[in-house]
Structure formats: structure tokens, C-alpha cells
Amino acid sequence: MNAVTDPILTIRDLNKTYAGGFQALKNINLDINEGEIIALLGPNGAGKTTLISVICGIVQASSGSVQVAGFDIVKNYRKTRSMIGLVPQELTTDSFESVWSTVAFSRGLFGKSARPDHIEKVLKDLSLWEKKDDMIMTLSGGMKRRVLIAKALSHEPTVLFLDEPTAGVDVSLRKDMWNIVEELKAAGVTIILTTHYIEEAEEIADRVGVINNGQLILVEEKTKLMSKLGKKQVTLDLTESLTAIPSALCDYSLELSEDGNQLIYTFSTGGDRTGVTALLDDLKLANIHFRDLNTTQSSLEDIFVNLVEESS
Amino acid sequence: MNVYAILAIYKFEMARTRRTLVQSIVAPVISTSLYFIVFGAAIGSRITEVEGVSYGAFIVPGLIMLNLLMHSISNASFAIYFPKFVGTVYEVLSAPVSTVEVVAGYVGAAATKSIILGMIILLTATFFIDIQIEHPIIMLLFVVLTSITFSLLGFILGIWADNFEKLSVVPSLIVTPLVFLGGSFYSTEMLPPFWQSVSLLNPVLYLVSGLRWSFYEIAEVNIIVSLASITAFMLLCFSLVVYMFTTGYKLRS
């Protein structure tokens, strides 16, 4: 029997209303397990960054509570913040500092003694070693993003927040970063990621949370989500065009293309039976023949778009 | 106590000073030298003595105080305003540091710079005039207390300011007039009785008077009153900083 472990991050009834009256978070409840990668998806202004900012201590919650490893983020802020690393969305760096000194500064700020070997490893992993003595203002946007990641990793966090970490970065950094994410996950680090690149979430996340208008619409294991809400379509290229769907086939969820040359059958990937075999039998009985058949499956992006549209 | 954080902030700020050595040290030394040339040599030669002290020597405490106040405020205000402006303040806000530790790092560095500057100005002054310091410990105490207090004030200003104009308003429109009208370059005894009384409302008068007492044992107000005033103001500024951090005023939305 597997031992049941307490979540590393527990969010209860969390609300945030800004001074202007805008409610950015509405009653958020979420448990995040140790060592998992959870992707928070949501359109711009959904509340993702506010949620991260509250947990990290940058924004004050209006009500509710957040615990990290059982410690309250307000009462035990030293414990919780020392466990957390944050890569912010904006490229906010100390322009006049060198790469090495700004990363070393972060480690000290988070209460860790100097460990040049660790900083060297982080910089090498992020392909920043050659730039360690360069002033940050001389670096490209992608390099600055690497510096922010290095700063967050400098103090060896056990919970890492990556707020849109791949926004505006090249393929090389993405690859480096996902390699590091894999390494961190293997080392037991919990990773909370927000991204607009849904294919990234689809590729690396264990669970997916969808936020819209400050509400957490759902949190689900990625595979279950794809299976539960994912759809598959079978498109049949007919040998003879139809003017309408025959009454014998009206029990199926069928669509006829405008030119009458294609029949499109949509079914849920989560169902026990797809109905495809029965459909093909009934088509034969109705004397409808097809030349070709192809299938498509909805991506996480399609699921996300549908969820957001439904909740809006 | 997160000592590593205090040291990280302190070193970071001191490194910034090393990068801007001309602005931080050379410029004030040159301007002070000019004060001595203009006030001490050119004008001072026509003023015999003020309260038994040569005019050049008389203005030394005032000049030190002027620099301590201006540079403490500008160093500390810029130290916190700039991270707010560029956004890097997120790191300090999300770090496991208390208000006292943040203040110790930023204000400690700003005050250190001011103290070093004060000592350099004192050294510069010795090239122009003979200076005697009757109470060096009290002098040092005044320099340290003033540097810490006005660095705290600068820190408050840096948190409060949301644009560069506000950042320069307090030093240029409030502190500079108060220093010039606070007996830095003259004795209030030279003023008519009414303006002598008005001068007592100027808090900088108490600082200049206290520092001058430590040099020459001449003072407009009692040294105990001067020390009590700067200590009380320091506590007030510290309380305000704690309030700002506790409530997140202009720091945490």
C-alpha cells in the first residue's frame, strides 16, 4: 500500500481583491503534491500571476490561507519562502550587475551560505558559464531569462514557480530549461508552471489546472483530462455525395460537410465504447460507401479553449 | 536572523558605490573643497571669528552635516526606489527576510557610505584649515546617528516615491533649505531675536549645533537636547519603515 503524503502546497479559500476593487482570485482551493509538475493554464489576466505572487509573498491575500509543507506563508514566512524559488514573468534584472554577482546575491538573500560550486553548476546547466562576468545589460532577452532561472535555482528551492518561463525565448533555451525541469523533478522538486504554450504543459505536466476570471475551473491529471474531455473525430470521404444524413443514422453524432462529400463522426475518448464499429456496420446497411477515412484527436489546447469559453 | 541576507544586501549596495565612485565620493569632495575656497578663504578672510572660532573652522560641522543629510537620503532612497522602478524588488519581497534585516542591509550600507563620506570631508577640511575636535566620540556618535536616521528617512522616501520627481523633491525642496537656514554657515546669534526663535523650529539646527559642540564646545542648543532629538527622530523613522513593511505600503499590492 502506498503511503499517503501530505501535499507540499495547500491553498484554501484564497481570495484577492485589489485596491481598485478588481477581484483577481475567487475562492481558490488547491492541493499540490510533492515532486509533481503542475501547469496552470489560463488566458491573460486570469489570475495566474496573482496566485503565484500571493504564495511567494509579493501580494497580500484578502482572505484564505496558503501552507507550504505545513507552514503558513504569513506566520512562518521564513520557512516557506526559503523553500520557494520564483522565476517571474517580466525580465526584471539588475542591469549593472554581473551574472555571477546577481546569482550569488540571490543565494545570500534566501539565507544560504556561499557555495560557488553550486552556482557554477547552475550557470553551466543554463549555458551561462561563459557569460558569468558579463554585465546583465549586455545580455540578450533569452540570456536574461536564463539569469532569472539561475537566480531562482541559486538557493536550491524545493518548490519552484515558473511564471511563463518560455515567453519570448529561443528553442535552445526551452530545451535547456525542460532538461533542467526534468532534473529538478527527478530530484524531488515540485514545479508549478504557468504557460501560454499549451503543448509544453501537454508534454511535461503531471496535472493541469485551468484558471479563468480568477476561478480555478478544474484541476486534473493530464492524462485523465485528455481522456475525459478529449474528443476524437472520424472523417469519412464518401464515394457519392449526400444531401442529408439518412434517418437510419440519426442516432449517431454525425455532421455532413457543406458539399455533402464528407461525414464527420465525433465521439468522446473517455467512453467505454466509441461506436465506430456500429457506425461502419450501419453505413454498410444504408448502402453508403466511403473512399477514405481519417481520425483526429483534440489536443490539450482544444480542451483548454473549450473550458475557458464555457466558463466565460 | 538571516545574516546571509543582510550581508548580501549590504555587499550589493556597497558594490554599487564602488561602481559610482566619482558620483559617490569624488563629487562631494570637490564641492566641499569649493565651499572652503569660497566661504572659508574668500569670504571667511573678511570675517574674523564666530564665537571664538575662525570662520573656516566654524563651517566644517555644517558642511559635514549638509553632506551627511543629502547623501544619506539620496543613497537610501535610490537603493529601494530603483528596484521598485525596474521590478527587481520582487526578490526582496519574496525572500525569507524580516523588516529589520532588510533595513539593516539597505540602511546600513547607505549609512556606511555617508559615514565614510563625512570622514573624507573632514580630512579634506584639514587641508584648508586647522581643526580641533574636543569630543571625538560624541562627534562620531553624531555622525553615525545622523547617517542612520537620514538613511532611514531616505528609505521611507524611496518606498513612498512613485516617480523620480518625488524622489528629488524632499532633498532639494525641504532638506537643502533647512540645512542652509539651520546655522550651517552662520551662528543664529547673528540673527535678530525673532528669527533666532524661528530657527529653533528647524530640526537641522539641533544636528548642526550638536556636531559643532563636539568640535568646539559651542552650541545653539544643549548637546543633550541635540542627542535626544536625533535619537527620537531615528526611532520615529524606524517605526515608519516597520509600518510600511508590515502593511506592505507601496510595496505589496
Side-chain angles (χ1 to χ4, degrees):
Chain A
M1 197 174 94
N2 290 333
V4 177
T5 54
D6 290 331
I8 187 89
L9 192 69
T10 309
I11 302 168
R12 291 286 174 271
D13 306 320
L14 192 68
N15 288 281
K16 173 63 190 177
T17 304
Y18 284 105
F22 173 68
Q23 192 172 2
L25 296 177
K26 297 170 186 166
N27 215 37
I28 302 282
N29 285 282
L30 176 63
D31 286 336
I32 295 174
N33 300 318
E34 192 168 0
E36 74 170 331
I37 300 178
I38 181 164
L40 296 175
L41 305 179
N44 288 332
K48 305 183 297 292
T49 299
T50 299
L51 178 61
I52 289 176
S53 299
V54 169
I55 299 166
C56 293
I58 300 164
V59 168
Q60 292 173 322
S62 303
S63 64
S65 68
V66 179
Q67 291 191 332
V68 182
F71 296 104
D72 185 84
I73 59 160
V74 178
K75 288 180 195 151
N76 305 103
Y77 71 93
R78 276 188 199 277
K79 286 248 183 205
T80 61
R81 291 185 197 171
S82 60
M83 286 187 261
I84 294 174
L86 167 66
V87 180
Q89 193 178 137
E90 302 293 331
L91 284 177
T92 48
T93 52
D94 299 302
S95 302
F96 304 105
E97 287 294 313
S98 73
V99 171
W100 179 276
S101 68
T102 196
V103 176
F105 167 78
S106 298
R107 184 172 171 85
L109 191 63
F110 278 75
K112 293 281 171 75
S113 60
R115 256 195 64 193
D117 59 319
H118 175 69
I119 293 176
E120 184 178 334
K121 184 187 180 309
V122 170
L123 294 184
K124 281 181 174 168
D125 286 349
L126 284 159
S127 308
L128 276 171
W129 183 245
E130 303 298 319
K131 305 272 183 187
K132 70 180 187 340
D133 298 318
D134 290 9
M135 262 209 284
I136 297 169
M137 67 188 296
T138 64
L139 303 180
S140 65
M143 281 293 175
K144 284 178 185 165
R145 179 75 64 190
R146 288 170 199 248
V147 172
L148 289 177
I149 298 165
K151 281 166 80 70
L153 297 178
S154 68
H155 59 94
E156 301 161 76
T158 50
V159 178
L160 181 66
F161 286 93
L162 299 167
D163 195 2
E164 306 278 356
T166 51
V169 300
D170 58 20
V171 179
S172 161
L173 171 57
R174 278 198 209 178
K175 203 177 151 200
D176 282 354
M177 207 172 70
W178 298 136
N179 286 340
I180 287 175
V181 165
E182 287 296 328
E183 270 183 40
L184 291 170
K185 182 180 160 64
V189 176
T190 309
I191 295 157
I192 296 106
L193 163 83
T194 73
T195 182
H196 280 306
Y197 298 104
I198 297 167
E199 65 271 25
E200 283 176 359
E202 197 168 341
E203 197 179 317
I204 66 163
D206 300 312
R207 284 199 301 161
V208 173
V210 179
I211 299 182
N212 193 31
N213 294 324
Q215 289 174 305
L216 193 60
I217 303 168
L218 69 79
V219 183
E220 189 69 86
E221 275 180 33
K222 183 184 66 188
T223 45
K224 279 189 189 164
L225 181 68
M226 306 275 291
S227 145
K228 205 192 288 181
L229 300 177
K231 287 188 173 134
K232 219 166 183 179
Q233 282 187 333
V234 177
T235 305
L236 304 163
D237 290 335
L238 305 176
T239 49
E240 287 176 31
S241 61
L242 296 173
T243 51
I245 296 169
S247 57
L249 301 174
C250 63
D251 287 344
Y252 298 96
S253 172
L254 284 171
E255 278 176 73
L256 185 64
S257 63
E258 273 185 24
D259 59 9
N261 288 327
Q262 286 183 323
L263 262 181
I264 302 149
Y265 173 54
T266 306
F267 59 94
S268 167
T269 53
D272 292 335
R273 302 171 77 112
T274 62
V276 174
T277 314
L279 172 67
L280 295 179
D281 289 344
D282 287 344
L283 281 171
K284 200 172 180 183
L285 287 173
N287 206 27
I288 298 172
H289 303 284
F290 55 90
R291 280 194 300 265
D292 197 6
L293 167 155
N294 68 69
T295 61
T296 53
Q297 184 164 9
S298 56
S299 64
L300 187 56
E301 182 161 352
D302 300 325
I303 298 169
F304 165 71
V305 170
N306 285 338
L307 281 169
V308 170
E309 278 175 1
E310 278 169 23
S311 73
S312 294
Chain B
M1 179 69 83
N2 188 348
V3 179
Y4 291 115
I6 298 173
L7 286 174
I9 297 171
Y10 186 86
K11 282 184 194 166
F12 180 88
E13 284 301 306
M14 293 309 284
R16 193 161 64 82
T17 307
R18 282 196 292 278
R19 283 199 305 270
T20 56
L21 211 56
V22 172
Q23 180 200 332
S24 305
I25 304 291
V26 179
V29 167
I30 290 174
S31 66
T32 306
S33 300
L34 288 171
Y35 272 112
F36 280 120
I37 291 165
V38 174
F39 287 100
I43 298 173
S45 61
R46 293 168 187 266
I47 301 171
T48 51
E49 281 188 339
V50 181
E51 297 185 45
V53 179
S54 73
Y55 184 69
F58 181 83
I59 64 170
V60 170
L63 273 177
I64 293 174
M65 200 49 84
L66 171 68
N67 279 284
L68 289 184
L69 264 52
M70 298 301 285
H71 287 273
S72 296
I73 291 174
S74 67
N75 279 331
S77 60
F78 194 77
I80 190 69
Y81 177 75
F82 195 66
K84 269 177 55 187
F85 180 70
V86 297
T88 51
V89 76
Y90 84 87
E91 206 175 12
V92 174
L93 297 177
S94 63
V97 287
S98 66
T99 306
V100 173
E101 289 153 3
V102 172
V103 170
Y106 281 111
V107 172
T112 304
K113 291 178 217 172
S114 296
I115 293 165
I116 293 170
L117 181 65
M119 294 303 108
I120 290 173
I121 287 168
L122 184 59
L123 190 70
T124 311
T126 60
F127 291 111
F128 295 90
I129 39 154
D130 291 328
I131 293 173
Q132 53 175 33
I133 304 170
E134 295 288 339
H135 303 282
I137 304 291
I138 302 284
M139 185 274 286
L140 208 58
L141 182 66
F142 249 103
V143 168
V144 170
L145 279 176
T146 304
S147 299
I148 292 173
T149 304
F150 282 83
S151 294
L152 281 167
L153 183 65
F155 202 66
I156 292 166
L157 178 64
I159 295 172
W160 167 76
D162 40 32
N163 57 49
F164 280 98
E165 193 190 4
K166 282 184 179 176
L167 207 62
S168 62
V169 157
V170 172
S172 57
L173 294 186
I174 299 174
V175 179
T176 306
L178 286 178
V179 174
F180 276 82
L181 298 172
S184 297
F185 302 105
Y186 58 86
S187 167
T188 53
E189 286 180 8
M190 295 171 171
L191 301 173
F194 172 75
W195 290 109
Q196 279 185 34
S197 305
V198 171
S199 291
L200 289 172
L201 297 174
N202 182 351
V204 177
L205 177 78
Y206 296 76
L207 305 177
V208 175
S209 168
L211 191 62
R212 189 170 286 139
W213 183 88
S214 72
F215 276 76
Y216 315 119
E217 285 189 333
I218 53 173
E220 264 107 358
V221 289
N222 188 293
I223 180 66
I224 304 295
V225 175
S226 288
L227 274 172
S229 303
I230 186 71
T231 307
F233 191 47
M234 183 177 70
L235 293 174
L236 176 69
C237 288
F238 181 71
S239 306
L240 257 173
V241 172
V242 171
Y243 169 80
M244 285 172 141
F245 263 86
T246 311
T247 58
Y249 175 80
K250 293 214 175 179
L251 286 168
R252 291 185 167 92
S253 46

